[in-house]
């Protein structure tokens, strides 16, 4: 009987702890990491650092002086030396650690061993980043951060910089219009393109930026943000009226820059090297971000008559993409496919859109349209995105690399609320005022009765 009691007293709490840990690991991986995973992985790393580095071929022969010193002071065998390790810095999603490479070692050698290091230290993934010559940073990620996305607290936002998604190495993916002025987001239907757009709108809403939308799905994606939009076109006819106004606005801005520089107004636009950011604050026109959802709708025509309008719109979009940056006009284009089959001008416009984000696609050709010129592995990664994970995408980097990203979930109602709250920030762009969408003013709740009481006697 007493044996049973002892077993229950010891085994019960142990089983409860084990069960709790298993539950936390699947349902709350962040909590599991902070309480169990982090100490375990740190202990593994500290205990096995030298042997793991040796097994991965990341050690070098010790210098002759060191070998002599070891022989003179101890009787131990002289072992190869691993890269010098910095302090371990724990984070809420993993661990960070800097390594000083030995002469002759290459960051690519460490990167090539990332998979082996991840197994040796029992973490979800290991990423290697070049910090400065001779120093690399190992980023150990404790769990799959893209399963339930939570953006890091400090994610590097700013004017025209929107932390829009999370990278698989738990850093924020920032859409920076001043670094990458025009972006193309591709993906099959229900892959999460509009969610991506939603985050951009919400991120830009509190900033001094004019937001312009072209949403040929009759405005179902962008109309909820009407309160914060300076202009909205919900079909190709309206887009055909809006685009020339934007091109004219761009030309006026070039004239403004030219006037400031003292250049004759007859100088061709292409020869102006400066941009609106060189103008004094008081004169600088407000930046404009143009969102185009379902871009293919602008290209598709049913009749011969529409063809002329289509060609004009495509030319105007190409001009905006070509010359817009210096005038502070940026493009964010979304679509399901964007290939040569859309007709004249499609590939030319695509080539102008530097930033590439590819959500789940139905075929390899669509992934190639977005990422083909970045890397073949990026195309393969985009093709293997599962439909159960909407919002997951492959993003091309400015450095020529790529990474998996995922947007956090944001409901349309919450996004629309942010836009309503920042409605007073809509900047004055007179040229766009006639395209300003109608946004009903939000009812302000008051405690006064709806029906005025009448006195009982007159
Ligand atoms: N990051 C995310 N996390 C969770 N759910 C998401 C995420 N992104 C998108 N979704 C969900 O996936 C569904 C499709 O998203 P979305 O409307 O953005 O896709 P889409 O690519 O714009 O589709 P379509 O081409 O039909 O417009 C929505 O129900 C949305 O709530
Ligand atoms: Mg959509």
């Amino acid at each position: 009987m007493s044996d049973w009691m002892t077993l229950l007293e010891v085994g019960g709490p142990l089983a409860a702890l084990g069960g709790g840990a298993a539950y936390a690991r699947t349902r709350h991986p962040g909590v599991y990491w902070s309480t169990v995973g982090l100490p375990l992985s740190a202990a593994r790393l500290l205990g096995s650092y030298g042997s793991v580095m040796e097994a991965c071929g990341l050690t070098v022969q010790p210098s002759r002086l060191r070998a002599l010193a070891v022989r003179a002071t101890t009787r131990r065998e002289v072992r190869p030396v691993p890269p010098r390790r910095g302090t371990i810095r724990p984070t809420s999603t993993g661990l960070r650690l800097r390594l000083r490479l030995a002469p002759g070692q290459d960051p690519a050698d460490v990167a090539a061993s990332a998979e082996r290091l991840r197994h040796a230290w029992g973490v979800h993934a290991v990423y290697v980043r070049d910090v400065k010559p001779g120093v690399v940073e190992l980023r150990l990620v404790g769990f799959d951060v893209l399963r339930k996305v939570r953006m890091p607290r400090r994610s590097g936002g700013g004017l025209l910089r929107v932390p829009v998604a999370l990278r698989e190495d738990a850093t924020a993916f920032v859409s920076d219009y001043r670094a990458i002025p025009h972006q193309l987001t591709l993906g099959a239907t229900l892959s999460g393109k509009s969610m991506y757009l939603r985050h951009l709108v919400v991120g830009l809403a509190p900033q001094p930026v004019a937001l312009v939308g072209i949403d040929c799905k009759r405005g179902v994606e962008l109309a909820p943000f009407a309160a914060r939009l300076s202009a909205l076109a919900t079909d190709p006819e309206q887009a055909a009226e809006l685009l020339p106004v934007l091109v004219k606005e761009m030309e006026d801005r070039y004239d403004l820059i030219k006037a400031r520089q003292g250049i004759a107004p007859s100088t061709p636009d292409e020869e102006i090297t400066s941009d609106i950011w060189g103008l004094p604050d008081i004169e600088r026109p407000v930046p404009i971000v143009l969102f185009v959802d379902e871009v293919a709708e602008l290209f598709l025509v049913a009749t011969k008559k529409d063809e002329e309008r289509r060609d004009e719109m495509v030319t105007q979009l190409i001009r905006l993409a070509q010359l817009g940056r210096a005038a502070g006009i940026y493009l964010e284009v979304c679509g399901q496919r964007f290939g040569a089959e859309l007709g004249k001008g499609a590939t030319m416009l695509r080539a102008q859109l530097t930033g590439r984000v590819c959500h789940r696609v139905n075929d390899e050709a669509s992934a190639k349209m977005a990422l083909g010129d970045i890397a073949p592995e990026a195309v393969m990664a985009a093709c293997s995105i599962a439909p159960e994970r909407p919002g997951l995408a492959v993003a091309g980097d400015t450095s020529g690399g790529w990474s998996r990203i995922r947007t956090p979930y944001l409901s349309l109602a919450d996004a629309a609320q942010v836009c309503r709250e920042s409605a007073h920030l809509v900047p004055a762009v007179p040229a766009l005022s006639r395209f300003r969408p109608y946004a009903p003013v939000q009812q302000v709740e008051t405690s006064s009765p709806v029906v005025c009481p009448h006195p009982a006697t007159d």
Side-chain angles (χ1 to χ4, degrees):
M1 186 67 186
S2 68
D3 283 357
W4 276 106
M5 287 306 289
T6 320
L7 199 67
L8 267 180
E9 275 167 17
V10 178
L14 273 183
L17 266 179
Y23 173 80
R25 189 171 195 173
T26 45
R27 304 302 298 267
H28 303 285
V31 175
Y32 176 82
W33 171 253
S34 309
T35 51
V36 184
L38 175 63
L40 274 182
S41 294
R44 269 191 201 151
L45 197 157
L46 290 171
S48 64
Y49 179 72
S51 55
V52 168
M53 286 289 151
E54 196 173 347
C56 292
L58 294 172
T59 49
V60 289
Q61 284 307 313
S63 66
R64 213 175 286 168
L65 194 69
R66 185 179 176 131
L68 275 176
V70 170
R71 268 197 215 107
T73 50
T74 64
R75 306 194 123 256
R76 280 185 316 185
E77 160 201 9
V78 182
R79 299 185 62 93
V81 211
R84 209 163 74 222
R85 175 173 61 75
T87 42
I88 294 179
R89 272 181 265 152
T91 65
S92 57
T93 52
L95 283 177
R96 267 190 248 160
L97 172 74
R98 284 193 178 187
L99 304 184
R100 179 167 283 285
L101 301 177
Q105 280 186 328
D106 181 357
D109 299 338
V110 187
S113 300
E115 195 60 19
R116 276 174 271 176
L117 297 177
R118 135 181 143 76
H119 285 292
W121 295 329
V123 288
H124 178 74
V126 174
Y127 299 96
V128 181
R129 193 170 68 96
D130 214 350
V131 180
K132 55 184 177 182
V135 180
V136 292
E137 184 179 67
L138 288 189
R139 260 175 189 277
L140 279 63
V141 182
F143 54 95
D144 183 3
V145 289
L146 299 187
R147 208 176 77 185
K148 197 168 176 217
V149 177
R150 284 187 59 194
M151 293 299 281
R153 227 170 295 143
R154 274 186 296 158
S155 32
L159 180 63
L160 290 168
R161 284 173 59 87
V162 182
V164 66
L166 189 71
R167 279 203 178 90
E168 57 188 335
D169 67 355
T171 55
F173 174 76
V174 181
S175 183
D176 183 354
Y177 287 100
R178 290 191 65 184
I180 301 176
H182 312 302
Q183 189 166 254
L184 173 65
T185 304
L186 285 193
T189 183
L190 287 182
S191 61
K193 303 180 295 295
S194 300
M195 180 70 80
Y196 186 90
L197 220 58
R198 204 177 284 175
H199 279 282
L200 286 173
V201 172
V202 166
L204 291 170
Q207 302 187 16
V209 177
L211 306 179
V212 176
I214 296 180
D215 177 6
C216 291
K217 273 166 111 180
R218 302 267 158 205
V220 292
E221 304 280 10
L222 294 179
F225 314 136
R228 181 61 184 82
L229 295 182
S230 298
L232 177 65
T234 55
D235 55 39
E237 290 83 42
Q238 291 178 8
E241 287 175 32
L242 174 61
L243 284 171
V245 174
L246 281 172
V247 171
K248 176 79 176 55
E249 174 71 16
M250 179 181 78
E251 287 167 351
D252 290 349
R253 289 179 176 204
Y254 272 110
D255 287 343
L256 188 73
I257 300 167
K258 273 190 281 191
R260 177 81 200 167
Q261 292 176 332
I263 301 172
S266 56
T267 315
D269 289 347
E270 288 81 355
E271 282 175 35
I272 309 277
T273 54
S274 186
D275 53 30
I276 59 158
W277 304 104
L279 294 174
D281 290 354
I282 189 107
E283 279 180 36
R284 184 180 310 129
V286 66
I288 299 176
V289 179
L290 169 63
F291 296 99
V292 185
D293 203 355
E294 302 297 356
V295 66
E297 286 295 315
L298 298 181
F299 282 83
L300 301 175
V301 284
T303 61
K304 194 95 183 138
K305 199 169 109 277
D306 292 344
E307 222 163 81
E308 206 174 297
R309 190 189 64 195
R310 167 210 178 275
D311 287 351
E312 273 173 23
M313 275 196 292
V314 173
T315 311
Q316 281 148 358
L317 272 176
I318 293 172
R319 289 201 68 204
L320 286 173
Q322 224 159 238
L323 305 170
R325 184 207 60 84
I329 298 180
Y330 307 101
L331 302 189
E332 186 67 49
V333 177
C334 282
Q336 303 195 13
R337 281 172 70 87
F338 200 172
E341 77 269 18
L342 284 182
K344 210 169 80 188
T347 44
M348 188 166 173
L349 176 58
R350 195 180 66 195
Q352 297 291 339
L353 307 173
T354 325
R356 300 293 173 87
V357 173
C358 182
H359 288 76
R360 179 178 54 78
V361 284
N362 291 330
D363 58 350
E364 199 181 321
S366 305
K368 276 192 180 149
M369 287 170 196
L371 304 165
D373 32 9
I374 292 175
E377 315 94 79
V379 174
M380 291 319 297
C383 290
S384 60
I385 294 174
E388 303 83 64
R389 283 206 174 179
L392 193 67
V394 173
D397 273 345
T398 30
S399 56
W402 58 275
S403 50
R404 271 189 205 87
I405 60 166
R406 193 178 187 198
T407 43
Y409 180 78
L410 174 67
S411 73
L412 189 59
D414 289 346
Q417 181 62 26
V418 172
C419 289
R420 279 195 295 271
E421 280 163 12
S422 46
H424 61 288
L425 294 175
V426 176
V429 184
L432 297 177
S433 56
R434 70 188 168 101
F435 298 99
R436 180 110 193 252
Y438 167 72
V441 179
Q442 209 178 356
Q443 291 291 318
V444 180
E445 279 183 30
T446 55
S447 53
S448 55
V450 177
V451 181
C452 286
H454 291 285
T457 51
D458 264 338

